[in-house]
Amino acid sequence: MTIGFENRTVRVVIGFLTAAALVVVYLPPLYLVGVSFNPALQPALPSLGDLSVKWYVELANERGLLAALRESLLIATATTVISVSVALAAALAYLELGKLRNAWFLLVLMPMFVPGLIQGLALSVILNRWQVVPFWGTVAMGHLLWALPFAFTVILTSMVSVRRSYLLAAADLGASWWQRVTQIILPLIIPGIVGGVIFSFLLSLNEFARSSYLVGRQNTLPLVLFGKMNSGASPTIYALSGLILMASVLAVALFMYLSARRKRA
C-alpha cells in the first residue's frame, strides 16, 4: 500500500500546484523587467532584435523619480541601521531570558500583526499632537515598526547555531559577557544579521501604507510610482522597477551565498 508522498498522483498534483504558484509569483516581475527593455511607449515584451536600454538611459532625466528614490534610500538606510541594531539587542536579551522568553518573543513580534494603515494613522496622530513636522525621519519611524519584527525573527533564527555549551565553556575560561558576544555569538550569526539587513532595507523601500500618513514634502518612491501609474505611466518607471528588482535579486543571492558558505565552513 502506498500512502502520502509515495503516491505518484499526489506527487504530480503537489508538483503542479507548486509550479503554478511559482509562475504566479515570478511571472509579473519578470514580465516587468522584459517590458523595461522595450523601446516603445506601450508596455509589451520586445522581440530579441528590439531590445534596448533606452528607458534606463532616460532615467537620468527623471528628477522627480530620482529625488523620490534618494528619499526612499535614505529612509531605508536609517530604518535598516536602527531596526537591525534593536533586533540584535532584542535577540541577545532573548538568550538571557528564562521563563519570560515567550512573552518577550511575542512582545517584539506584535507590531507585525498590526495593519500598516492603523500604525501609520496612530503614529501620525501622535506626531501631530506633538507638533512634529513630517519629514523623512517620521517615515522611518513608521517603517521601523514594520521592519523590526522581521529583522528580529531572522537574527533569532540564526541564534540556533549558538550552542549554550560554547558560552558556558567561554565563561568557565574567564570570558566576559562582552567577549562572549563579540568573539562567539556575533561571528556565528553573521548570516542572520545580513539577512536582517536585507529584509529591513527591502521592506522599508517597498512600504506604502505607513508612508502615505507620515511623508513630508518629498514623497517616497512607492508613492511617486503610484501617482505616475494613475496619471499615465512613463516607461521609465518600468526601467527603475527593473533596476530595483535586479538589485533585490542580487542582494538575496548574496545572502544565500553567505549562508551556504557558512554551512560549508
Side-chain angles (χ1 to χ4, degrees):
M1 182 177 67
T2 58
I3 58 173
F5 294 106
E6 295 178 354
N7 188 297
R8 186 173 182 276
T9 303
V10 174
R11 291 202 306 270
V12 170
V13 171
I14 291 177
F16 174 78
L17 292 176
T18 304
L22 290 176
V23 169
V24 171
V25 170
Y26 288 107
L27 187 58
L30 290 177
Y31 180 81
L32 188 63
V33 172
V35 167
S36 68
F37 291 101
N38 186 353
L41 288 173
Q42 299 303 320
L45 289 177
S47 61
L48 290 178
D50 291 334
L51 289 177
S52 170
V53 293
K54 172 184 176 182
W55 302 118
Y56 287 89
V57 176
E58 289 291 328
L59 269 177
N61 300 321
E62 291 281 358
R63 294 184 179 179
L65 269 180
L66 295 179
L69 177 62
R70 284 195 295 271
E71 184 83 352
S72 286
L73 291 177
L74 173 63
I75 293 168
T77 301
T79 302
T80 300
V81 171
I82 299 173
S83 64
V84 171
S85 300
V86 176
L88 177 60
L92 292 174
Y94 180 87
L95 281 183
E96 300 295 330
L97 293 173
K99 296 180 179 178
L100 296 176
R101 278 186 174 183
N102 290 338
W104 181 250
F105 181 78
L106 290 175
L107 181 66
V108 179
L109 257 61
M110 190 62 71
M112 183 190 298
F113 303 104
V114 180
L117 291 175
I118 304 301
Q119 283 183 340
L121 176 62
L123 196 54
S124 174
V125 170
I126 292 174
L127 292 174
N128 185 56
R129 180 74 175 175
W130 291 345
Q131 298 183 341
V132 176
V133 178
F135 70 114
W136 65 266
T138 56
V139 183
M141 290 174 65
H143 289 190
L144 181 61
L145 296 174
W146 177 231
L148 175 59
F150 287 93
F152 173 70
T153 304
V154 174
I155 293 175
L156 195 61
T157 301
S158 69
M159 289 282 188
V160 174
S161 59
V162 182
R163 297 183 180 179
R164 188 168 181 79
S165 58
Y166 297 166
L167 303 179
L168 291 175
D172 290 341
L173 294 173
S176 65
W177 178 86
W178 180 250
Q179 288 174 317
R180 295 197 297 272
V181 169
T182 56
Q183 297 179 19
I184 298 177
I185 297 177
L186 289 183
L188 289 173
I189 65 171
I190 283 179
I193 295 175
V194 174
V197 168
I198 294 174
F199 267 102
S200 299
F201 192 87
L202 294 181
L203 287 172
S204 174
L205 195 65
N206 297 329
E207 174 56 30
F208 182 91
R210 297 165 184 80
S211 303
S212 62
Y213 285 99
L214 303 167
V215 72
R217 297 179 61 183
Q218 174 59 59
N219 281 335
T220 61
L221 185 61
L223 297 176
V224 171
L225 290 179
F226 183 75
K228 281 186 172 293
M229 286 297 294
N230 285 335
S231 61
S234 165
T236 52
I237 69 172
Y238 303 133
L240 182 58
S241 301
L243 278 178
I244 293 174
L245 180 63
M246 287 184 277
S248 302
V249 171
L250 288 176
V252 174
L254 174 63
F255 172 66
M256 295 179 68
Y257 169 75
L258 288 175
S259 298
R261 186 178 177 183
R262 194 75 183 174
K263 288 180 181 177
R264 289 197 300 268

